[in-house]
Amino acid sequence: MSQKLTGTTQNLGVMGWPILHSLSPVLQNAALEKAGLDYVYVALPVPPEKLRTAVAGLQAMGFAGWNVTIPHKQAIMPLLDEIDEDARIIGAVNTVIHKDGRLIGHNTDVTGFLLPFKRRGIDLRGKKVALLGAGGAARAVIWGLLREGVSSLAIGVRNPRKAEPLIEEFAPYGILHIHHWEDEAFREELGEADLLVNTTPLGMTPHTDGMPPVVWQDLKASAIVYDIIYTPAHTRFLREAAAHGHTILNGEEMLAGQGAAAFALWTGQEADLDCMLTALRAELSSRHQP
């Protein structure tokens, strides 16, 4: 970091536990430096039992805002003065703005998820989508897809009973169908899907041999395949999809995109997305050097 820190420098950060692995300082400081803004972004290790104290402390110290990651995305919500619509519907906050003494919670994961489609001019309205997984990461993806007006959303999971509450939660916004991901019904949904999204951690470093059970012959040939994992850049899931001729997307743009959306909320300026992606890829490359 080469920007000069002064008494006027505004503070930003990311709170989580653990937080050492976070790539957000790399992304945000690269964008802040490129924009010439007098801010600095730091990692904030906050154990769960210290969350309330930490939030009060950051507010007292005048932090302009901060990101929130595991395990605090839900726990922080009652400590905030206001929650925006995306965060309320998703049920998690990943970005806090400190403005006029008030703490406002946002969720920019949905913006990040949708970014690759926006950048490529892909309209999701009316599209049929198959989704793998129904955990915490899936919620922002589900809301983003419903918000964009997809015509159907079929979710394939290991345990359908556990995922059933999602149907009721998202019922005001669209219709979800939950299946076991190896059932014939889900395989039929794959045959109609314009987009297949993996929201599970299967295939993430260091367990790179893993992937959800997909019979590629079931998937429509023109379907786009999107894995929100970014380490490795090309999971086994994406490598196999590419080998079967599908257009593929990984999670790098989602990560940078959610960071860029948070940057804009804090600073009122657009982040240089290409700068963030370059910094992200350089950092990932350096971390994976033997």
Side-chain angles (χ1 to χ4, degrees):
M1 189 191 314
S2 61
Q3 66 259 48
K4 183 178 179 182
L5 305 182
T6 71
T8 62
T9 301
Q10 296 196 63
N11 294 307
L12 299 166
V14 55
M15 61 162 55
W17 187 261
I19 200 62
L20 185 63
H21 66 286
S22 177
L23 290 159
S24 291
V26 173
L27 292 172
Q28 297 292 352
N29 284 313
L32 290 166
E33 185 171 358
K34 182 69 180 290
L37 295 174
D38 188 17
Y39 287 77
V40 65
Y41 186 104
V42 296
L44 302 164
V46 178
E49 67 275 13
K50 298 290 188 183
L51 178 60
R52 180 179 292 273
T53 305
V55 169
L58 294 179
Q59 187 173 20
M61 290 187 293
F63 265 64
W66 59 90
N67 285 129
V68 184
T69 189
I70 295 170
H72 304 314
K73 286 186 168 188
Q74 292 81 36
I76 198 172
M77 294 176 76
L79 306 179
L80 305 177
D81 298 300
E82 184 181 334
I83 306 291
D84 86 329
E85 182 186 48
D86 287 344
R88 178 181 58 79
I89 292 171
I90 294 165
V93 161
N94 81 330
T95 302
V96 175
I97 302 173
H98 182 198
K99 185 175 182 181
D100 300 326
R102 291 169 53 80
L103 300 179
I104 305 166
H106 295 258
N107 192 304
T108 65
D109 286 331
V110 62
T111 302
F113 169 72
L114 294 170
L115 181 67
F117 303 110
K118 306 291 187 187
R119 294 184 88 199
R120 291 162 179 80
I122 297 170
D123 186 358
L124 293 176
R125 185 166 300 280
K127 297 290 193 296
K128 295 183 177 182
V129 182
L131 189 74
L132 296 162
R139 298 180 65 89
V141 173
I142 291 168
W143 170 232
L145 292 167
L146 294 176
R147 201 178 75 177
E148 291 297 296
V150 300
S151 64
S152 69
L153 182 51
I155 303 176
V157 293
R158 187 183 284 119
N159 186 342
R161 184 182 296 274
K162 188 177 177 182
E164 282 175 0
L166 288 174
I167 296 175
E168 185 174 346
E169 285 184 56
F170 285 97
Y173 315 108
I175 298 173
L176 312 181
H177 298 286
I178 308 285
H179 307 280
H180 190 282
W181 53 21
E182 293 183 271
D183 280 355
E184 186 62 32
F186 187 67
R187 294 182 65 176
E188 289 177 5
E189 296 277 13
L190 288 177
E192 297 291 325
D194 302 297
L195 170 67
L196 172 62
V197 184
N198 176 41
T199 70
T200 78
L202 294 172
M204 184 184 295
T205 303
H207 306 294
T208 55
D209 289 336
M211 66 170 279
V214 174
V215 179
W216 294 108
Q217 288 75 13
D218 292 338
L219 188 61
K220 188 162 68 174
S222 60
I224 297 170
V225 177
Y226 187 167
D227 195 335
I228 67 170
I229 292 171
Y230 54 85
T231 54
H234 293 99
T235 56
R236 178 185 167 194
F237 177 73
L238 287 185
R239 293 197 308 272
E240 290 192 8
H244 284 84
H246 296 285
T247 298
I248 60 172
L249 302 169
N250 72 6
E252 289 179 348
E253 286 178 74
M254 179 176 177
L255 178 64
Q258 63 80 27
F263 180 103
L265 287 170
W266 295 320
T267 69
Q269 296 189 28
E270 293 299 312
D272 187 317
L273 188 69
D274 289 332
C275 167
M276 293 179 107
L277 283 166
T278 297
L280 169 63
R281 289 165 182 157
E283 178 65 16
L284 289 173
S285 177
S286 70
R287 289 189 183 191
H288 296 143
Q289 291 297 324

